[in-house]
Amino acid sequence: MLFQIKSYLKFLWNSKNEHAVHSPFIFNLLTKCFYDKKTKPEYAILKKYRKSLLENKNFIEVTDFGAGSKVFKSNTRQIAKIAQTAGISPKRAELLFRVVRYFQPNTILEIGTSLGLATSALALGSQSLGTKAKVITLEGCPQTANHSQLQLQKFNFNNVNSVITEFEKYLQEIKLRLKTETENFELIYFDGNHSKKATLAYFELLLPTITNDSVWIFDDIHWSAEMEEAWKMIKNHPKVKVTIDTFQWGFVFFRREQEKEHFIIRA
């Protein structure tokens, strides 16, 4: 906790808003998406999805393949508590919805479904445009995945393909397929394993799927010292051109036409 407090104070000291940004691409993203304060009718659906989980007092047995939890001491966890403490916040869900609607990706990959709070924002963002982009979401824990599948079906998010799998195994299979066919994800949301080793492994495995317009979002880039190290290495990768650090998330863009530039933005 102390590490995150120090990291956040450092972030606040270095962060800027749209008035200090001279890149048209980033300026438009901030003003038309990040800082869009208009209420959207879809926000009510996201709230209902969250409320349904917060009212669920059932327990599930969680198989944790990631860096572990800073909140839970046991793997037997109440669904309401998971939604309350481990899921994406309402503000972040709304931002994720706006990001999808802004970039209009046709193919979305989510690494780490959990209870589907972020998944619902990804799916709803594409449905709001009438495009119904294909959303593939990966979850390693069978009980968590089964519950999220039922929850997503309940809210008619039929453009979501939920896959129960170990993340690296699934991504290795994608890498093998790329030898004989093309496979691209226009937006990837990384929220599956908050460790340096896993994050960098996923990054390298998915690099062959990028297009010039791909948008990658890494969750919890300041989770720990090693996650900050992973974020630094991602920023320095030669294929990465533009990044945005919003403290909670790290946005990565591969736009070849842009000069390499890194932004620290309050969002």
Side-chain angles (χ1 to χ4, degrees), residues 31-151:
T31 56
K32 296 178 181 179
C33 177
F34 279 31
Y35 300 151
D36 179 2
K37 303 301 182 186
K38 295 176 184 176
T39 300
K40 311 288 187 292
E42 291 85 1
Y43 292 171
I45 300 173
L46 295 177
K47 286 179 181 178
K48 286 180 182 177
Y49 189 100
R50 181 180 301 275
K51 186 172 182 286
S52 175
L53 292 171
L54 292 174
E55 292 173 346
N56 192 325
K57 306 305 180 184
N58 294 324
F59 285 82
I60 59 173
E61 192 69 24
V62 174
T63 306
D64 201 335
F65 295 98
S69 171
K70 293 183 178 180
V71 177
F72 297 103
K73 304 302 179 186
S74 167
N75 284 344
T76 302
R77 302 173 189 174
Q78 190 180 56
I79 288 170
K81 292 293 184 182
I82 299 173
Q84 184 180 0
T85 58
I88 189 173
S89 70
K91 180 183 176 183
R92 290 283 160 180
E94 291 175 1
L95 175 55
L96 192 58
F97 164 82
R98 294 197 303 273
V99 167
V100 172
R101 200 166 71 161
Y102 182 81
F103 286 109
Q104 302 182 33
N106 290 313
T107 49
I108 299 171
L109 175 66
E110 179 187 32
I111 303 175
T113 316
S114 186
L115 296 174
L117 285 164
T119 320
S120 64
L122 293 168
L124 196 59
S126 64
Q127 286 184 0
S128 71
L129 296 165
T131 59
K132 287 202 175 184
K134 180 181 179 183
V135 180
I136 298 174
T137 183
L138 312 180
E139 176 55 50
C141 171
Q143 286 200 28
T144 306
N146 288 335
H147 186 82
S148 66
Q149 286 172 4
L150 292 172
Q151 183 78 358

Side-chain angles (χ1 to χ4, degrees), residues 10 16 23 60 85 100 110 121 132-133 145 148 162 166 178 185 209 216 219 265:
K10 184 179 178 182
K16 305 287 190 296
S23 162
I60 59 173
T85 58
V100 172
E110 179 187 32
K132 287 202 175 184
S148 66
S162 180
E166 291 183 31
L178 288 170
F185 297 104
T209 71
W216 288 13
D219 187 54
I265 299 292

Side-chain angles (χ1 to χ4, degrees), residues 1-9 70 222-224 247:
M1 182 61 74
L2 182 60
F3 172 82
Q4 289 183 319
I5 291 171
K6 289 180 178 178
S7 291
Y8 187 62
L9 291 174
K70 293 183 178 180
H222 297 284
W223 168 273
S224 63
F247 189 74

Side-chain angles (χ1 to χ4, degrees), residues 203 207 233-243 251-255 260-262:
F203 175 82
L207 266 181
M233 292 176 72
I234 289 168
K235 286 166 59 179
N236 291 333
H237 193 280
K239 288 190 176 180
V240 171
K241 287 302 185 74
V242 178
T243 67
F251 286 78
V252 174
F253 303 94
F254 303 90
R255 296 160 58 87
K260 198 172 184 75
E261 198 167 3
H262 307 295

